[in-house]
Amino acid sequence: NNYKKGLDVLMDCLCLSKCDFLLRGSSAVSEFAVYFNTKLHHHSLNLQYDCSKFLQSSRENRTDDVF
């Protein structure tokens, strides 16, 4: 039931907004939790990172005779 899923996500968001500190990934749910609790704007850590630098360095370090 889509209504139940939406209600569950809203409840998760409201529970997250009650935290003192939030470790989060890039998602609409965690972003919305920050909107509900503006203190989380300065008390949260976004764990999303740019992996393109990692991929670029691994390509540069690769040798043709590895496999």
Side-chain angles (χ1 to χ4, degrees), residues 2-67:
N2 288 334
Y3 179 80
K4 173 83 168 89
K5 289 178 192 176
L7 190 58
D8 288 344
V9 171
L10 181 59
M11 291 300 295
D12 289 344
C13 178
L14 292 173
C15 288
L16 285 173
S17 73
K18 298 296 183 184
C19 294
D20 294 325
F21 192 86
L22 185 62
L23 294 175
R24 62 188 184 95
S26 294
S27 78
V29 176
S30 62
E31 188 69 29
F32 204 52
V34 174
Y35 294 148
F36 275 114
N37 181 357
T38 55
K39 293 178 189 175
L40 288 176
H41 181 71
H42 297 291
H43 293 103
S44 66
L45 179 63
N46 189 347
L47 299 175
Q48 191 71 29
Y49 58 90
D50 182 15
C51 63
S52 63
K53 293 177 186 177
F54 171 75
L55 292 174
Q56 182 180 5
S57 68
S58 70
R59 286 185 194 129
E60 291 171 356
N61 294 333
R62 193 172 80 184
T63 60
D64 292 332
D65 58 5
V66 172
F67 289 105

